[in-house]
Amino acid sequence: MKYSLPAFLFASMLSFSSWAQLSVQNLTVENLSNPIGIDKAQPRFSWQLNSDKKSIKQTAYEISVRSGKKLVWSTGKISSENSLRIPYGGANLESDSKYTWQVKVWDNQAKAPALATANFQTALLRHDEWKAQWINSGIEADSVNGIVPHLRKTFEVKKPISSATVFVTSRGLYEASLNGKRVGDAFLTPGWTSYNKHLQYQTYDVTKQLSTGKNAVGVTLGSGWYRTKLAWDNHKNLYGKETALLFQLHITYADGSEDWIVSDNSWKSTASHILFSEIYDGERQDLRKESKGWDLANFDDSKWQNVKIASFATDYLNASVNEPIKKHETFKPVKVLTSPKGETILDFGQNVVGWVKFNISGKAGQMIKLYHVEMLDKHGVPYFENLRSAKAQAHYVLSGEPNQTIEPHFSFFGFRYVKVEGLEGKINPEDFTAVTLYSDMKPLGSFECSNPMVNQLQKNIQWGQKGNFLDVPTDCPQRDERLGWTGDAEVFSRTAAYNFNVNQFFAKWLKDVSADQEPDGAIPFVIPNVLGKVTGAAGWSDAGIIIPYNMYVVYGDKQILQDQYASMKAYLTHVRGLAKNDLWNMGFQFADWLSYRVDDSKSTIGQKSAVTDVYLVAQCFYAYNIELMIKAAKVLQKNEEVADYEALLQRVKKAFQQEFMTASGRLISETQTAYILALQFDMLPESLRQNAVNRLVENIKSYDYHLTTGFLGTPFLNPVLTRYGQNDVAYKLLLQDTYPSWLYPIKSHGATTIWERWDSMKPDSTFQDPGMTSFNHYAYGAVGDWMYRTIAGIDTKEADGAGYKASIIKPELGGGLTFAKGSYLTPYGKIASNWKIEGDILALEVEVPANTESTVYFPTSDISSIKSNGVALTDLKQEGKWISKTFGSGKYAFTMKIK
Ligand code: BGC
């Protein structure tokens, strides 16, 4: 039978369309897309499969790496499902070289392989490739709280170039420009590390910024975290007194010859118009002193002085592994307010971290002052007290030049409101912009539900993270602290990892955990450590074990465990050393920091403060640490250590039961946190756990369904209630909106970030103890993890499915929510769970990334009602109250009866 053309076309379309359309996307090297500046000898390649078909599994891949047209490595066709972090295996890579890499992928359905290409550029692969010398301005006044210098050098480019790369870092902060154009778009570079042990340099492709003939490089150096006042007792010059620059420009000419423009004594320096710039106190500029065009080739620097060579080593330098700080969202004032004293205040509507940029045409000598605060008191007066000794101000003396755009360079502020002084005439709010600064983490997760206040809570959690992930995870961004508090970072780490890709952010920070770890294994309370020697404290120092493991579970990257294992083990050994008879009951402990206390706010909820025995808390975290070490050792196949840790774990739990528990399972502290931690870490005999759950729920009822937990109890409160079938109580606590609760700050005070205390502002609109009350502390935002894993129900299996290779979709309905939706960009692609209740029908849409599988748990007891695209589902599994089925990749639409 001969086909007519249209019939044939249709038929081939049909058969063609039956061929799965496979594509490959999101190629990354060392977890970064098209990175410039990789200093790994064996960088690791990852990619994602994408197909409109279901149950896609990769069957093989082939990676090839080229330098220009030259093939430098190829894997050949490898039969494997693995698509993550395949290490380079070819001949040694060259430094400062551009490579393209291609991956060809076969799957179990498509006829033809799919392929994609991406790039990466190497940094300096050996320390001895640094030709540059450390230089500093040599200016007396260039000190902490002193002036900010400009450094510059001119150089000739005599012939056409094919590429030009800058490698740069500093002691202090740098801003570099070439021929007046900024190098890169990162800010507060090189960030904050334990500078004398671990310093990152950045790599920039500046090929397009050079021109034949005379060129100029200019660099401005600020104090930064290197020498600024840090922590509340005015530590200064912590890493050194003199800032310094290390700059190396590698030019490759079209004819193949090379040239290096490096920092050395041929550079010149002068004081800039930035008179002062420190982290806590802000910045002062006198724009009348600005040297216009100072970083252009034809600028006359004859009156400038020669720089000085500084003798610092380069053997602890490494190329940045994490995303730099960049400018992100901007906000215009939503209101112009006038305080009772007649002060002009701009309300930007969101508590952010960054600075204010403004346009102005003022008089020469006119002084504009900006004061940054998070809150106004109930009379509309800016609230400065919680800043403690941090001034958080920006002062600008105008030059009289019309229409100037002004912003700071080397400081940052935590604020929602800005008091403006010195303006003449009516303020035009449009002239002012709040610019947010945070690490350029890739957004990964989204969460929304039918309850607007819970959605606001999610926003506050995300803004808390944006505000405090500024190269290091800070506790707060506004007062004279802003430190890398370990406890806050670990309790929030899973929540953080859902909202943004923080794999590299924490990989870099954990290097400082190792760098600042004490010889006896103790891990400091803040990293980078600026608070001196300590002994380990539960929940805080434990971050050295908890965060590497959490990052492994979420992103599936074993490297972070391999890199940190020695540090993790040294820390556990430290705790074992502190413990007597397997009881960690000595030394300073933060324990359940900032838990509910009756005298805090005249609340009516509860008659008793919720103070949990600090060593009960420590013992639970001792067990938690060991449990994670067992898992980490298993992942890294360190089986001999697994046995040791398993035996230790049993002894530690036994010691807990003997020391803190009565025969009937009552704990010495009748607090929510005591029962939560004992249940979360399986400290109690199986037979006594239900009693403990009952006591926990009774306790919550006795506080009229309010939480009383602090920093360590809060993250596990709802997960424990859900685990033990008390999800309705968990929802009750989530939706509670009077103090103490997650929604109280939103309901009563319009909070736009997470607060340090449950009552940083009290129900009577007075403030908590100004000595320690921040309105931008993400620790209590750790509830996000429960919202994503229980309300949206998106989770990953651990050992045999880390990184969502084997995921779980298990939404738990409740709280009167009629819908919830979550989506997350896993290392394999997007996973999503959207549910909606209509009448007695639940509709559940699920998306599973290619090359993975997901076990979907259906929140119904009516197995026969479960349909997929209207067709009754078969081969369903019943596990206790849960009905489940595992699905391959693809999009699914389920419906089921729920009543
Ligand atoms: C910090 C917290 C930290 C706590 C530990 C506070 O000053 O702001 O983030 O966890 O100290 O004591």
Side-chain angles (χ1 to χ4, degrees), residues 557-571:
D557 187 352
K558 280 199 186 111
Q559 189 74 44
I560 208 161
L561 284 180
Q562 271 146 2
D563 290 350
Q564 293 307 124
Y565 194 80
S567 160
M568 296 162 78
K569 187 173 175 192
Y571 175 64

Side-chain angles (χ1 to χ4, degrees), residues 232 388 474-476 479 481-483 485-488 525-526 540 588 590 593-594 711 756 772 774 777 779:
W232 39 96
R388 304 194 307 212
T474 58
D475 62 320
C476 63
R479 65 186 183 215
E481 195 159 355
R482 314 181 196 185
L483 302 178
W485 279 95
T486 48
D488 308 48
F525 304 154
V526 297
W540 269 254
F588 169 80
F590 295 106
W593 187 252
L594 292 181
F711 275 34
E756 176 171 24
M772 194 179 72
S774 141
H777 244 75

Side-chain angles (χ1 to χ4, degrees), residues 374-375 383 386 479 594 601 739 744-745 749 754-763 765-770 772-777 780:
E374 297 178 295
M375 298 290 277
Y383 182 59
N386 73 325
R479 65 186 183 215
L594 292 181
S601 283
Y739 162 77
Y744 155 72
H749 302 291
I754 304 293
W755 292 357
E756 176 171 24
R757 295 166 176 264
W758 295 118
D759 61 345
S760 285
M761 181 177 253
K762 298 180 178 185
S765 295
T766 58
F767 292 106
Q768 250 294 348
D769 163 4
M772 194 179 72
T773 200
S774 141
F775 292 89
N776 199 345
H777 244 75
Y780 283 144

Side-chain angles (χ1 to χ4, degrees), residues 229-242:
K229 179 174 72 176
L230 279 176
W232 39 96
D233 39 18
N234 298 342
H235 292 299
K236 289 192 189 76
N237 301 322
L238 266 165
Y239 300 96
K241 274 198 163 69
E242 287 166 354

Side-chain angles (χ1 to χ4, degrees), residues 573-586:
T573 308
H574 168 75
V575 176
R576 288 174 88 157
L578 296 174
K580 294 280 165 300
N581 309 324
D582 301 312
L583 268 181
W584 185 7
N585 61 355
M586 57 77 70

